[in-house]
Amino acid sequence: MKKRLLGILIISTMAMALTSCSSIFSGDNGNEADEDKDDRKYTDDEKEADDPTDTPTDTVKAPAAGSDDWLYYYGRRCFVIDDDGNEIASYDIEKLSETLSEKNGQNYNSFECYGDGILFFAATTYSDNGANTTFYGMDPVTEEYTEIYKTDPDWHMERLDYYNGKLYIDIANSGSYDEKVFEKSKDSLLFNEVTGKYADLFDKDFAEFGIQGASLLTDGCYEKRYCSYTRALDNAGFLLGNNDSGIEMITPDGNIKNLDTIDQSALIEAYDEDYIICGEYDDDYINYSLSVYDVKADKMIRPDPGDDIYRFITYLDGRVYYSVCDNTEYGHPVINVYYYDCKNDKTTLFFTQEPVPGTQIPSVADCFRIIDGKAYFMKVVDKSINWVSADPDTCEIKDTGIVVDEIHTFEFGRIEYASDTKFCPGCGIPVEKYYIEKFILDDSFKNADAVNGRLDELFESEVAYHDTDPVIEDDICEYHQEYPEQYCETDDVYISDVGLIGKDYLYVDFGGYWYGGGAHGYPDRSQVLFDLKTGKQVTFADLYGGTQEDYKKLVAEKTLEDYNSYDETDTPYFPSDEESLYEKAYEEADMNKENFEFTEDGVYLYYFPYDMGPYASGFIEVLLTYDELGFSLE
């Protein structure tokens, strides 16, 4: 199920004295948008089997024992690298997760971490007795797996960490904490439980302590969730907690010390033996700032900078990495990544990430990791999204050559965009913003002028819809000022994919997200299909030879078939009986609607959120094969 939700990070530029570094790259980085990229492939008989738009295949070479440096971003490939950043092996996590599900019977296996040639997954099941999480180790080369540990009901995973040749599983339950430690057998995939270094510490009652610190020693890890209690205690010498007494420190011998200098409302972002990085939102929960606590001196060494908004990325070896976003042009954010040197009280501009329209690249903050003193993050390089490395001392950025995704769109043309922000004439607060992309087919393709003419019409129509003065109600400026985000309508339309079906049919996929107030906005998607022999747009109704009644029956039958393919615990549909669902699908079906996407396998009919399922389900897709439809695009 595809979910295209455009996340725009709106951050104002921070004013401070800076030391800048230079970069060997400029202006071709991706958007600060956390986006699941549609990995559907297109066919082209005129291209060779090694089509550059194909997703990279698995490298099945087994990494040497001790290779535990890896690069990963949710939903993508896991790359194992050596000390120089060269790829040793890569694994398709989605594919291996599905393989594991076929073997262990779990509906979904979540990839957690990698170590010494083993991928570690977790799967949670729910019953009347509570929730249980089971942990698995998988050899990605042989696809053998083993069950390592299963939690008791209502004990949940805090984090899973492969550290110094052992697997650490940190779990918690209503103020109780524990750490399970496992060591792999030398001659098999079995893992044996061993006594942890700090086992005695977790025999104590920490219900009033509220441990929150182990996951916050980042050690260059993603999302701060791969750092075990043991790693934190080894590297920092303490854990942190927060309770009614404020922020407290607990040492391996069980002693607890209150840190009065740190405000109890502070968010602990990261720490080590020298510094604790604290974050704090303002009263409106909009502006965010960072400060640094010197552990040995027991004082704040960097005052809160005020109302500047920026995003914490990570912390390691006395350097705080964070991003500041210049979103002067809506939907086209320029991300500046800095690091603050705690020891020298110095801020350095590390690099600038410029957006590239048409590339839904993950936020640099979400895919940033430090390994052996070098920073790694994703970046657009020519026609692909690659992992690159950057030296914090010289700020030099180098392409590792590790390809995460090929960008299909750039094989066919380029992308332009329009962006605008409208303000309330009474109070000057932004009340409407839009960002709209337009694909332009390269002239080397047949009938490119006709195709581009139609795409331009669609683009101009979308822009014209927004190029009218917003209607402002009387006496509403008070609400604009108090709730600026809720009273600002935003509309984002972007190119999510471009490709060929057969030799002559070009598809252009659009994604989008609209927000008009309330708890959340609404995702959008659409597709236009062109016959390159004529340059004209073709619709489903143009190609389908059956009657409206034929179509309605087919859709109802296929939707019911899809509904029955799920069990009650993982269905994306609203609760329903078969007869009611069939009738609902029959009523919704209309061959003249535009909720279709053509692919090489058939046509996907998709239901918008709330049509057949809750918002959280996203788009529900039902495949109609060409044999069932009675036509083909080959």
Side-chain angles (χ1 to χ4, degrees):
M1 179 184 309
K2 307 184 191 74
K3 297 180 184 177
R4 301 193 183 106
L5 304 178
L6 183 63
I8 300 297
L9 182 63
I10 307 172
I11 308 178
S12 62
T13 305
M14 188 169 148
M16 61 176 68
L18 299 174
T19 301
S20 297
C21 295
S22 61
S23 168
I24 62 171
F25 284 167
S26 64
D28 61 347
N29 291 277
N31 286 334
E32 183 85 349
D34 194 348
E35 178 74 26
D36 285 347
K37 191 177 188 299
D38 181 356
D39 62 356
R40 183 181 63 227
K41 302 179 180 64
Y42 62 88
T43 60
D44 186 349
D45 294 345
E46 296 177 345
K47 295 188 176 184
E48 299 297 327
D50 59 346
D51 189 326
T53 60
D54 285 345
T55 303
T57 56
D58 278 1
T59 303
V60 296
K61 175 183 176 182
S67 300
D68 57 2
D69 290 336
W70 49 283
L71 301 169
Y72 175 71
Y73 178 72
Y74 178 76
R76 297 170 188 261
R77 307 180 70 79
C78 177
F79 297 92
V80 183
I81 61 174
D82 62 19
D83 292 342
D84 296 321
N86 299 311
E87 178 184 333
I88 299 175
S90 73
Y91 306 109
D92 186 330
I93 295 300
E94 182 178 6
K95 177 182 176 182
L96 289 169
S97 176
E98 291 175 353
T99 299
L100 182 57
S101 292
E102 293 172 359
K103 292 173 178 286
N104 65 14
Q106 299 280 8
N107 289 329
Y108 178 68
N109 292 278
S110 172
F111 172 64
E112 297 297 330
C113 73
Y114 165 89
D116 282 346
I118 305 299
L119 300 174
F120 297 99
F121 294 84
T124 300
T125 55
Y126 302 88
S127 68
D128 293 339
N129 296 324
N132 300 86
T133 300
T134 308
F135 301 90
Y136 300 93
M138 185 180 194
D139 184 327
V141 178
T142 65
E143 297 187 354
E144 294 180 73
Y145 82 98
T146 186
E147 179 177 320
I148 301 172
Y149 175 72
K150 184 176 181 178
T151 64
D152 291 331
D154 294 330
W155 279 81
H156 64 272
M157 177 184 69
E158 289 285 293
R159 61 203 56 81
L160 188 146
D161 184 15
Y162 193 83
Y163 170 59
N164 285 346
K166 294 183 177 68
L167 181 69
Y168 293 82
I169 302 176
D170 293 348
I171 55 177
N173 178 15
S174 301
S176 297
Y177 301 87
D178 201 359
E179 183 168 71
K180 302 295 182 179
V181 186
F182 298 87
E183 193 168 41
K184 182 180 175 297
S185 300
K186 292 183 179 180
D187 301 324
S188 73
L189 194 57
L190 295 178
F191 282 78
N192 301 307
E193 186 168 2
V194 297
T195 302
K197 182 177 180 180
Y198 303 102
D200 291 344
L201 180 63
F202 296 103
D203 288 336
K204 302 178 183 297
D205 182 8
F206 292 121
E208 301 300 323
F209 182 70
I211 291 179
Q212 60 168 297
S215 63
L216 304 170
L217 183 140
T218 55
D219 196 31
C221 295
Y222 307 130
E223 301 176 3
K224 301 170 292 184
R225 67 193 184 104
Y226 296 111
C227 182
S228 58
Y229 298 136
T230 293
R231 188 192 292 255
L233 289 165
D234 279 354
N235 288 273
F238 58 86
L239 301 176
L240 291 179
N242 191 348
N243 59 24
D244 293 340
S245 301
I247 306 295
E248 294 183 322
M249 175 190 296
I250 183 170
T251 55
D253 57 9
N255 290 325
I256 296 177
K257 174 185 176 182
N258 187 270
L259 303 177
D260 296 325
T261 309
I262 303 177
D263 191 286
Q264 185 175 2
S265 64
L267 300 174
I268 306 302
E269 290 284 12
Y271 66 83
D272 62 11
E273 62 181 344
D274 297 315
Y275 302 103
I276 299 174
I277 314 306
C278 308
E280 187 173 4
Y281 284 97
D282 63 7
D283 293 338
D284 296 325
Y285 209 74
I286 295 176
N287 298 325
Y288 189 65
S289 55
L290 294 173
S291 55
V292 179
Y293 172 73
D294 187 321
V295 175
K296 294 179 174 61
D298 188 24
K299 66 178 182 180
M300 290 292 180
I301 63 171
R302 184 176 184 230
D304 187 317
D307 292 335
D308 298 307
I309 307 174
Y310 52 92
R311 183 173 181 184
F312 171 79
I313 298 178
T314 194
Y315 166 79
L316 191 64
D317 295 334
R319 287 175 173 173
V320 183
Y321 295 83
Y322 61 90
S323 65
V324 177
C325 179
D326 178 1
N327 206 6
T328 304
E329 188 175 22
Y330 176 71
H332 198 74
V334 177
I335 309 301
N336 294 303
V337 175
Y338 300 87
Y339 64 79
Y340 172 70
D341 189 326
C342 301
K343 298 175 182 177
N344 299 312
D345 191 24
K346 179 180 178 182
T347 299
T348 299
L349 174 61
F350 191 6
F351 62 86
T352 297
Q353 186 185 49
E354 295 277 356
V356 177
T359 60
Q360 284 76 56
I361 190 171
S363 159
V364 65
D366 291 330
C367 61
F368 189 97
R369 190 179 185 187
I370 299 176
I371 299 174
D372 295 328
K374 291 187 289 187
Y376 290 84
F377 56 94
M378 293 183 196
K379 183 181 180 301
V380 176
V381 180
D382 193 20
K383 297 179 180 180
S384 62
I385 297 174
N386 291 12
W387 281 102
V388 299
S389 65
D391 186 330
D393 293 323
T394 66
C395 300
E396 182 182 26
I397 300 176
K398 294 183 178 179
D399 178 19
T400 66
I402 300 175
V403 177
V404 180
D405 277 319
E406 300 285 354
I407 304 172
H408 297 171
T409 302
F410 296 161
E411 297 293 325
F412 297 91
R414 68 184 193 278
I415 293 177
E416 295 180 355
Y417 69 93
S419 173
D420 196 13
T421 300
K422 299 182 184 299
F423 302 87
C424 173
C427 59
I429 298 295
V431 293
E432 184 180 343
K433 301 177 182 180
Y434 70 80
Y435 174 82
I436 303 169
E437 292 183 347
K438 176 178 70 172
F439 174 69
I440 301 172
L441 184 63
D442 189 82
D443 290 340
S444 62
F445 287 86
K446 294 179 292 185
N447 294 304
D449 288 344
V451 171
N452 288 331
R454 176 55 179 156
L455 290 171
D456 193 60
E457 288 177 4
L458 296 171
F459 175 77
E460 293 298 335
S461 174
E462 190 76 31
V463 171
Y465 172 80
H466 291 283
D467 277 348
T468 56
D469 293 332
V471 178
I472 306 297
E473 300 176 15
D474 295 335
D475 302 325
I476 202 170
C477 288
E478 175 185 352
Y479 297 100
H480 288 167
Q481 294 169 334
E482 187 172 359
Y483 308 105
E485 293 186 352
Q486 289 85 343
Y487 278 85
C488 182
E489 177 184 348
T490 60
D491 194 9
D492 302 274
V493 180
Y494 50 89
I495 306 298
S496 57
D497 198 13
V498 178
L500 283 175
I501 301 174
K503 296 181 179 179
D504 299 312
Y505 288 94
L506 175 82
Y507 65 81
V508 181
D509 288 350
F510 296 84
Y513 191 75
W514 175 87
Y515 177 77
H520 58 72
Y522 292 88
D524 192 18
R525 64 191 281 189
S526 61
Q527 182 190 75
V528 289
L529 184 71
F530 294 94
D531 185 343
L532 292 181
K533 297 190 301 294
T534 64
K536 293 183 178 181
Q537 181 182 352
V538 291
T539 66
F540 179 84
D542 293 332
L543 297 167
Y544 183 61
T547 65
Q548 183 77 280
E549 181 65 18
D550 294 334
Y551 174 70
K552 293 173 78 69
K553 289 180 178 179
L554 175 62
V555 167
E557 291 169 0
K558 294 294 291 184
T559 302
L560 180 58
E561 179 183 314
D562 186 63
Y563 172 81
N564 287 327
S565 69
Y566 297 94
D567 59 41
E568 293 181 358
T569 61
D570 69 346
T571 180
Y573 291 89
F574 286 129
S576 177
D577 58 79
E578 292 188 4
E579 182 179 354
S580 298
L581 183 118
Y582 183 96
E583 291 176 355
K584 174 68 171 173
Y586 181 89
E587 292 171 2
E588 290 280 339
D590 185 345
M591 59 192 287
N592 294 302
K593 284 185 176 181
E594 297 180 351
N595 58 332
F596 302 101
E597 280 190 6
F598 294 88
T599 73
E600 61 184 34
D601 298 321
V603 179
Y604 278 95
L605 163 74
Y606 55 85
Y607 294 105
F608 282 82
Y610 296 129
D611 282 351
M612 301 292 284
Y615 181 85
S617 293
F619 295 99
I620 298 176
E621 296 180 342
V622 177
L623 176 63
L624 310 175
T625 67
Y626 289 119
D627 286 341
E628 292 167 334
L629 294 170
F631 67 85
S632 173
L633 297 184
E634 294 300 324

